Amino acid sequence: MTRKRNKTSAREKFAMGAKEIQLRDDGEIDEASLKPAKIVVPPAPKKAKIDLAQAARDYLDSFQGGALSFKFNKKSQIFLLRNCYDSEKVPDNYFSIFLEYLAGLKGKAREVTLSAAKQIMEGKQPTEGTNEEGEPEVTPDSDAKRERAIQIARVLA
């Protein structure tokens, strides 16, 4: 009795994605040649570096726009809280919006921000460095930071 094999024709196997069909010495199809060809996927393009300062300004703009356009963004909040004393990263026209934003700040972020503002106000945290006597240097930049710290403390107190 002859046994019928349920074989897929070579043409069908080739259509299923085999690279090239090879025959063994005995005339049978070499199963290893029927494996589909590997698909090489090019690496994803690198994401453009996001300007966090610009993203934070956009975040404040959306906050000012109202509840419909505003969506919380943790990265922007962290950037703003860490850099709120720097007038280059948070310009004066955005600082007033930032103060409105701070009024709604709650929890640990509020406590830490108030504590940092108090330290800057008291001069415990050197803003630029120290002079020969070991006292904090007073520069126009440190005065601006101290003024911002006072405004932040008023809002959070």
Side-chain angles (χ1 to χ4, degrees):
M1 178 195 251
T2 59
R3 217 167 134 192
K4 272 189 161 179
R5 289 186 185 173
N6 187 4
K7 285 188 173 181
T8 308
S9 73
R11 181 169 288 188
E12 290 170 343
K13 288 182 180 180
F14 185 73
M16 289 190 294
K19 296 182 276 186
E20 151 181 338
I21 298 173
Q22 296 182 1
L23 298 176
R24 293 189 301 226
D25 291 340
D26 61 359
E28 294 291 318
I29 296 174
D30 185 14
E31 296 293 324
S33 69
L34 297 177
K35 292 181 181 174
K38 286 187 179 179
I39 299 173
V40 178
V41 178
K46 291 184 178 179
K47 292 182 181 179
K49 205 170 195 179
I50 298 172
D51 181 18
L52 290 176
Q54 182 60 46
R57 289 190 293 269
D58 293 342
Y59 181 68
L60 288 175
D61 281 335
S62 71
F63 173 77
Q64 188 179 33
L68 295 176
S69 64
F70 180 71
K71 183 178 178 193
F72 177 75
N73 184 323
K74 188 170 185 148
K75 278 186 178 181
S76 294
Q77 183 186 48
I78 290 170
F79 177 85
L80 287 167
L81 293 175
R82 287 184 181 169
N83 298 288
C84 61
Y85 307 103
D86 187 349
S87 59
E88 289 180 14
K89 293 181 181 175
V90 182
D92 291 335
N93 56 335
Y94 284 96
F95 188 70
S96 59
I97 302 168
F98 175 69
L99 290 174
E100 292 174 32
Y101 176 79
L102 279 181
L105 194 64
K106 297 179 181 175
K108 189 75 171 173
R110 185 180 188 100
E111 295 169 16
V112 170
T113 304
L114 181 58
S115 172
K118 285 180 179 178
Q119 285 181 347
I120 291 174
M121 287 170 32
E122 294 169 358
K124 290 182 181 175
Q125 184 180 37
T127 52
E128 289 295 319
T130 56
N131 58 18
E132 293 83 29
E133 291 87 36
E135 298 172 357
E137 284 183 12
V138 178
T139 63
D141 188 40
S142 64
D143 287 340
K145 285 182 181 181
R146 192 168 287 118
E147 180 59 36
R148 284 188 171 204
I150 291 168
Q151 292 176 353
I152 290 170
R154 280 187 196 142
V155 170
L156 296 178

